[in-house]
Amino acid sequence: MRVDPADGIVFDIEVPVAVIGAGAAGLVAALAAHEAGAEVLVIERDPVPRGSTALSAGLIPAPGTRWQREAGLGDSPDLFAADIMAKAHDEPDPALVARLAGAVGPALEWLSDRHGLPFSVITDFRYPGHSANRMHGLPSRSGEELVDRLARAVEAAGIPILCEARVDTLYTEAGAIRGFSLVRPDGARERVACGALVLACNGYGGNKALVAQHVPELAGALYFGHEGNQGDALLWGEALGAATRHLSGHQGHGSVAHPHGILITWATVTEGGFQVNGDGRRFSDESRGYSEQAAEVLRQPGGTAVTVFDARIADIARQFEDFRKAESAGAIVEADTIEELAARLHLPEAALAETLAEVEALKRDGGRDGFGRTFADVPALNPPYRAVRVTGALFHTQGGLVVDDDARVLTQGGAPIPNLFAAGGAACGVSGTGPGGYLSGNGLLAAVALGRIAGQAAGAMRFVSP
Ligand SMILES: Cc1cc2nc3c(=O)[nH]c(=O)nc-3n(C[C@H](O)[C@H](O)[C@H](O)COP(=O)(O)OP(=O)(O)OC[C@H]3O[C@@H](n4cnc5c(N)ncnc54)[C@H](O)[C@@H]3O)c2cc1C
């Protein structure tokens, strides 16, 4: 990834607003910039828009929406902002948190009203750390539907999406972005001049060297996000002298079936299950959250653990397609007794039985274990038992380029680069520095809310076109 001076560069075309990346952030930014009156071009390295957005559950947290009101759910941007700050131990920029918490509800209503995305609010399940039911999703509750519907809306608005086009060089002139160069699969190169540029090419989860540098505890971990997210925005930003923040922030997951590579819902743990290592012993307070648990699991011998649960929990988990897939793939081990379960998993029988007895005693008698977990109000496990061998994975990174109120990229000195914007995983999000700061939905929050803000501001710059 390069940043070069624009001197002497001959551009093939000029566009007022260009957006790099056709995930949720880029597509939302494109719609907003177009609505602000600008001509927009979206550039995407893949043959079709997918990104990590397509891999996600597509659930977006938003407070005070009409869907919440219709369902009789009380909520407010202030309450949401307080939840984000509490989860990330007050590390995020409170102004950014307030801006996103206030912007995301109107953004979803706009996507519904103007672009026909049929959102609804989830009322039967609340994600940990949210003090109201505020997750909104499309009918299939899948990120694939989200990115497909956004791409269709972009196409319906007449905005071109140039696919199979990887941007690798930005050109600068007088402290601003003058354009960029993209390369096609056959090696052909095109140079595009632009009035404003939105970086919506996500974080660096797919770049092993950057992960090793910024999130060393997950250096060897499976990456579960989109491979195309190579940290290009971060690398360009660094070359431009942009401010970066919270680069160690990320979302991990300590429950990916191994070796099948299928996400196993964390309900297997929150509903009364627990994790053991190869000695049949627990090793952590699993209730802190699935993100923190990624590194805990990877620290165990072989980088794996076994989640022990029961048939009742399997019934709950089966509502998730991934869990059904894991069952079909033979990842879920079944046994009538704990000894039989241990034998099937090659775990020491006596140790596993002892661990189960300790957990069940805590549920019955109350108290806190040596790791700090309480099992208060957690149902007992009963035979027949279920178990799955899991590993820890990196889902996506949360640190990135520091932006101002208009999603404009700031330099280390705090001045905005006048026509450069960042949204979604390209920008520093609201999850702080550690794995535990990620409140469910922070990823798409930054993609949708900041994407719209970036698009509105970039679109308003159309008169500054080259
Ligand atoms: C398994 C999983 C489950 C998740 N579930 C949720 C959830 O339910 N809710 C939630 O809020 N978040 C969730 N997330 C996180 C969420 O998916 C991301 O935070 C969000 O999709 C980021 O959106 P984005 O538009 O910034 O990036 P992406 O959707 O990844 O889009 C970036 C695009 O940029 C393209 N690109 C990259 N570099 C270049 C380049 N140089 N030139 C051209 N194109 C480029 C990529 O190909 C990609 O298409 C999940 C993530 C994973 C992996």
Side-chain angles (χ1 to χ4, degrees):
M1 292 304 115
R2 299 167 57 103
V3 175
D4 289 343
D7 309 346
I9 299 294
V10 178
F11 291 98
D12 300 299
I13 53 164
E14 287 193 8
V15 289
V17 175
V19 178
I20 303 177
L27 296 170
V28 169
L31 290 171
H34 178 264
E35 190 173 286
E39 195 188 323
V40 186
L41 172 67
V42 181
I43 300 100
E44 167 56 52
R45 58 182 284 164
D46 285 355
V48 282
R50 294 260 75 96
S52 281
T53 302
L55 301 170
S56 78
L59 299 180
I60 309 164
T65 64
R66 65 162 179 264
W67 299 284
Q68 282 184 315
R69 282 194 298 280
E70 282 161 11
L73 297 166
D75 197 6
S76 72
D78 285 350
L79 192 60
F80 182 28
D83 289 346
I84 293 172
M85 293 301 278
K87 187 77 173 72
H89 307 294
D90 290 331
E91 285 186 324
D93 171 9
L96 178 65
V97 171
R99 185 116 167 86
L100 299 190
V104 69
L108 293 195
E109 293 188 3
W110 163 72
L111 285 172
S112 171
D113 296 340
R114 295 294 295 264
H115 301 291
L117 274 70
F119 286 110
S120 60
V121 65
I122 294 185
T123 53
D124 59 353
F125 178 62
R126 187 181 296 183
Y127 280 83
H130 285 282
S131 46
N133 286 356
R134 58 167 77 102
M135 283 296 192
H136 295 70
L138 294 167
S140 70
R141 306 293 191 229
S142 79
E144 207 168 326
E145 180 177 3
L146 177 63
V147 79
D148 283 349
R149 283 186 185 268
L150 287 173
R152 281 207 294 275
V154 164
E155 280 157 18
I159 304 167
I161 306 177
L162 193 63
C163 288
E164 297 193 294
R166 186 171 61 84
V167 180
D168 63 358
T169 308
L170 303 191
Y171 297 113
T172 56
E173 190 177 78
I177 301 298
R178 176 73 177 93
F180 54 89
S181 179
L182 59 88
V183 62
R184 300 299 214 140
D186 63 2
R189 191 167 275 288
E190 286 159 44
R191 292 179 179 83
V192 181
C194 60
L197 180 63
V198 180
L199 299 177
C201 40
N202 208 335
Y204 52 89
N207 185 322
K208 288 207 176 305
L210 288 176
V211 171
Q213 185 182 345
H214 299 297
V215 195
E217 65 273 29
L218 296 187
L222 177 72
Y223 171 53
F224 223 59
H226 182 66
E227 287 298 337
N229 297 326
Q230 292 291 322
D232 297 352
L234 175 64
L235 296 170
W236 286 318
E238 285 175 345
L240 286 162
T244 60
R245 199 164 180 233
H246 292 170
L247 293 181
S248 56
H250 63 276
Q251 185 202 352
H253 210 297
S255 181
V256 173
H258 181 77
H260 312 77
I262 302 172
L263 177 63
I264 302 295
T265 170
W266 200 236
T268 50
V269 169
T270 54
E271 284 297 316
F274 57 89
Q275 290 191 323
V276 296
N277 58 20
D279 296 330
R281 302 287 179 194
R282 289 184 51 237
F283 50 88
S284 62
D285 172 5
E286 307 92 329
S287 71
R288 287 183 312 144
Y290 53 69
S291 184
E292 311 62 341
Q293 197 66 9
E296 296 285 356
V297 169
L298 288 167
R299 267 194 285 276
Q300 303 313 303
T304 64
V306 169
T307 306
V308 177
F309 52 107
D310 64 8
R312 179 189 64 84
I313 296 177
D315 281 345
I316 297 170
R318 209 166 283 124
Q319 68 180 291
F320 295 94
E321 193 186 340
D322 277 339
F323 189 83
R324 297 195 298 270
K325 272 192 207 153
E327 286 189 312
S328 308
I332 310 298
V333 176
E334 303 183 9
D336 288 335
T337 66
I338 200 73
E339 290 76 14
E340 190 188 333
L341 194 73
R344 295 207 167 163
L345 288 156
H346 308 292
L347 294 174
E349 286 178 24
L352 187 64
E354 217 173 280
T355 301
L356 175 69
E358 283 162 13
V359 167
E360 294 309 310
L362 281 164
K363 289 179 187 171
R364 221 176 28 246
D365 308 334
R368 209 172 269 278
D369 65 18
F371 307 104
R373 180 173 178 186
T374 67
F375 284 86
D377 303 323
V378 179
L381 292 187
N382 290 304
Y385 297 105
R386 299 285 183 270
V388 55
R389 188 172 295 281
V390 294
T391 188
L394 172 65
F395 272 24
H396 53 110
T397 54
Q398 281 286 292
L401 304 175
V402 179
V403 296
D404 70 6
D405 268 5
D406 286 330
R408 217 175 293 258
V409 174
L410 296 176
T411 63
Q412 283 163 19
I417 299 175
N419 62 349
L420 183 65
F421 302 82
C428 177
V430 290
S431 304
T433 54
Y438 184 82
L439 183 69
S440 291
N442 276 0
L444 286 171
L445 168 70
V448 172
L450 207 51
R452 188 177 186 210
I453 292 167
Q456 286 168 330
M461 285 193 70
R462 60 195 179 279
F463 302 114
V464 192
S465 62

